[in-house]
Amino acid sequence: MGEVLNKYLQMTTSPPVREELDLNIRAASAVIYGRFIQISESIGLTPSQYNVLRILKGVYPEGHARCEIAMRMIERSPDITRLIDRLEKRGLVERDRADEDRRMSITRITQKGLKLVNDLKPLIEKAHKEITKNLTDRECEKLSELLEKLYGHLL
């Protein structure tokens, strides 16, 4: 067991099964994340910036407060303010003060940001298909279910 993992990490012996699972999850995550770094960087975004745009597209035309965006991030970003600042400088998002609480700003995706996310969609879909090409739809569902079972109690 662990032939691919052993090759990837250049190990000569397999670790205990639970450690092997941990290493496999982290190795898979690193390889897959590397693909998405390439895709997002090809259009001048970081994966975190793309994630913010994806979150805001999901609530378009509404927006989210900074704390809401931070809570919905896949990889938590300690400096969400600067991340949003960079997106705003590029015209991909805009910020307005909330009517009910002027201290809170609401970030919304712009038309330019929507176009960028929509332009990326075929590249992302192609990457998903390439990454999962050795799995059936049922295997993808089962793996997703098992991973949620694995980390769900830790949230």
Side-chain angles (χ1 to χ4, degrees):
M1 210 158 122
E3 212 173 289
V4 174
L5 179 67
N6 288 351
K7 182 178 178 184
Y8 178 69
L9 297 179
Q10 299 178 12
M11 300 184 311
T12 55
T13 60
S14 293
V17 68
R18 291 177 189 271
E19 183 180 348
E20 182 176 326
L21 171 64
D22 173 56
L23 292 173
N24 262 313
I25 290 169
R26 291 193 286 147
S29 178
V31 170
I32 292 167
Y33 191 64
R35 293 287 171 99
F36 288 99
I37 288 172
Q38 290 173 340
I39 293 168
S40 61
E41 285 181 350
S42 73
I43 56 152
L45 290 177
T46 66
S48 293
Q49 289 171 328
Y50 170 74
N51 193 12
V52 169
L53 293 175
R54 184 192 57 77
I55 290 165
L56 293 174
K57 182 182 183 234
V59 294
Y60 180 79
E62 304 301 318
H64 277 311
R66 187 179 58 242
C67 61
E68 279 292 316
I69 295 169
M71 287 181 358
R72 296 167 192 272
M73 297 282 292
I74 297 169
E75 288 90 20
R76 306 293 192 227
S77 176
D79 200 358
I80 191 78
T81 302
R82 268 192 247 168
L83 201 154
I84 292 171
D85 286 345
R86 287 190 293 275
L87 291 170
E88 187 176 35
K89 283 180 185 159
R90 290 185 58 189
L92 301 174
V93 301
E94 60 190 11
R95 286 185 268 200
D96 294 316
R97 294 281 168 206
D99 292 334
E100 58 278 352
D101 184 352
R102 300 296 296 159
R103 296 170 295 171
M104 181 173 49
S105 70
I106 302 297
T107 303
R108 291 179 183 82
I109 192 168
T110 63
Q111 288 299 314
K112 184 178 177 182
L114 282 171
K115 181 178 178 345
L116 193 60
V117 172
N118 289 334
D119 289 349
L120 263 179
K121 187 175 181 175
L123 298 174
I124 299 289
E125 288 174 353
K126 182 179 176 187
H128 285 150
K129 286 179 183 171
E130 181 186 332
I131 289 163
T132 60
K133 74 179 183 180
N134 291 336
L135 300 174
T136 66
D137 285 350
R138 179 65 193 124
E139 287 171 329
C140 288
E141 290 169 2
K142 187 64 178 171
L143 180 57
S144 185
E145 180 185 311
L146 288 170
L147 288 169
E148 285 184 4
K149 186 176 181 179
L150 177 71
Y151 74 84
H153 71 285
L154 301 171
L155 300 177

